[in-house]
Amino acid sequence: DADVTQTPRNRITKTGKRIMLECSQTKGHDRMYWYRQDPGLGLRLIYYSFDVKDINKGEISDGYSVSRQAQAKFSLSLESAIPNQTALYFCATSGFSSDTQYFGPGTRLTVL
Amino acid sequence: KQEVTQIPAALSVPEGENLVLNCSFTDSAIYNLQWFRQDPGKGLTSLLLIQSSQREQTSGRLNASLDKSSGRSTLYIAASQPGDSATYLCAGFSGGYNKLIFGAGTRLAVHP
């Protein structure tokens, strides 16, 4: 089984809808991250969390919110989706003692 | 603003060639550098992590180097194979809190 899983893998929605993307990990890591990837721009950090009680904004947090429900679960919400939030979204984790980040398979979100 | 640049954006080579992918960064505060591979429709796979105290890392046919003074990292792939075809991303750690700054990637095609 994959160490970092994301659901759903693909989602098409309409402008104004509320969307939640979920991430779960079995690596036992404390640190979790949400990124988005746009063609030609690389990945950009949306939010990150170093433990259940710690939430931090990343480079592009406007229009997004997150919830760290447990050590293993980190959800990303779009309260009112807009077309320019169409992108590939990745969840990642890392442990306290190592800088290496491990990524989930991604969620492809299309906002019409 | 911290920036990570990858050159070239795309590369096509015949099987068996040795090749070099380049990554440059503008912020000397980037202290570690990680190379990833991304296959279409899939997540990122970590290839190599170079700590600031190291100059290079090797894994099989891959060798990555880091020169903080010049703000450059290179990924060397020996004896390329069609299975190496993917997008290669470099990312620098910055900010002291395990935050990755990504380049836009180099799309590599190795043809038989």
Side-chain angles (χ1 to χ4, degrees), chain A residues 33 37 50 94 99-101, chain B residues 32 34 38 43 49 93 97-98:
Chain A
Y33 311 80
Q37 184 178 34
F50 288 153
S94 66
D99 290 333
T100 301
Q101 293 194 10
Chain B
N32 293 344
Q34 192 167 1
Q38 183 177 20
L49 170 68
F93 285 86
Y97 285 102
N98 217 4

Side-chain angles (χ1 to χ4, degrees), chain B residues 43-65:
Chain B
L44 280 66
T45 302
S46 179
L47 297 174
L48 292 164
L49 170 68
I50 312 174
Q51 306 277 357
S52 59
S53 58
Q54 301 170 324
R55 295 292 297 232
E56 62 180 74
Q57 281 284 335
T58 298
S59 177
R61 294 182 295 107
L62 305 180
N63 176 275
S65 66

